[in-house]
Amino acid sequence: TDAYLGSYRRSGEGDYRCTIEEIKGMFRDASKTARDMRPIAVMDINAFEENSVAEYRRALLQIKPHTPLAALTREAFLEKIGAAAKDEKGVLRPTNAGLLMLGKIEDIKERYPYYHVSFEERKNVRKTNEENVFDRCIGQNVYSFFTSVNGRILGNLQNVDKDVQNAATEALTNCLVNADYYARGGIY
């Protein structure tokens, strides 16, 4: 039987035929090896956005100032954190996870055509169609998006309990880590 013609999923209202995208997602999820950690054969380490890599290293060193990662070269650092891996020929390449996390947006979009992350901070929202959009973040890799958005969220939660701030950060992290970047729709 052809999985693309005869796959169904059960929902609260009954069974429905799966779309090709849903079936491809099921195959990806069923893979024995983590797709995120595989090197991307068609890209090299120039696919990384330098400012993101530098900022990630700075943030890591603030949290763990005595980490052995501090002494590593850029390439060794990227490999050690799983952002890059050597292919079968020994060439260092970005992993899928590394590209999403620290890559240049044009390289991310080449690999993940439906990639889209967007955050809009809205204030004075009325019930009419006139929405006052205060600020927005779009077109960034996952790390830059996370730092921008998390900073804004925490800025709005300055006067609340630290547990609430931690929960908001964790919710954003879970949203970004568990997203299917191959699927249409993106993260809004």
Side-chain angles (χ1 to χ4, degrees):
T1 315
D2 186 353
Y4 291 100
L5 297 176
S7 294
Y8 290 82
R9 179 176 265 175
R10 181 155 290 165
S11 72
E13 292 95 40
D15 295 346
Y16 69 93
R17 181 170 279 177
C18 295
T19 65
I20 290 176
E21 284 183 2
E22 288 173 318
I23 296 166
K24 286 179 179 178
M26 289 180 211
F27 282 126
R28 281 193 307 272
D29 292 344
S31 175
K32 290 184 191 261
T33 58
R35 176 175 235 142
D36 292 346
M37 301 313 291
R38 293 182 195 156
I40 303 171
V42 296
M43 292 187 186
D44 61 27
I45 59 169
N46 291 321
F48 290 110
E49 207 283 313
E50 287 305 316
N51 291 334
S52 295
V53 173
E55 180 54 37
Y56 183 81
R57 275 187 97 149
R58 274 191 296 278
L60 178 64
L61 291 175
Q62 283 181 334
I63 296 167
K64 297 182 176 188
H66 303 294
T67 179
L69 297 173
L72 297 177
T73 64
R74 173 183 173 269
E75 290 77 13
F77 175 78
L78 290 168
E79 186 174 16
K80 193 71 172 172
I81 66 169
K86 290 183 178 162
D87 64 12
E88 62 280 347
K89 294 179 182 174
V91 177
L92 193 62
R93 301 191 182 280
T95 61
N96 286 292
L99 179 67
L100 286 164
M101 188 73 166
L102 299 168
K104 294 176 184 171
I105 191 66
E106 59 271 12
D107 292 314
I108 294 171
K109 294 286 268 180
E110 181 182 321
R111 181 74 174 175
Y112 299 91
Y114 303 121
Y115 177 85
H116 181 84
V117 290
S118 177
F119 172 80
E120 292 181 356
E121 185 174 355
R122 298 177 183 191
K123 296 189 177 187
N124 303 323
V125 177
R126 299 180 189 111
K127 295 195 183 214
T128 66
N129 288 337
E130 299 175 31
E131 293 180 355
N132 181 13
V133 177
F134 176 72
D135 204 358
R136 65 187 331 183
C137 296
I138 56 172
Q140 301 172 318
N141 60 42
V142 171
Y143 180 71
S144 294
F145 181 80
F146 172 82
T147 56
S148 297
V149 171
N150 194 53
R152 290 179 183 180
I153 291 171
L154 294 180
N156 289 329
L157 297 176
Q158 289 178 359
N159 299 323
V160 299
D161 186 62
K162 192 73 171 164
D163 289 340
V164 173
Q165 293 177 2
N166 290 341
T169 296
E170 187 170 340
L172 177 60
T173 301
N174 287 338
C175 175
L176 295 170
V177 168
N178 294 307
D180 182 357
Y181 293 102
Y182 287 100
R184 294 178 192 265
I187 299 172
Y188 294 89

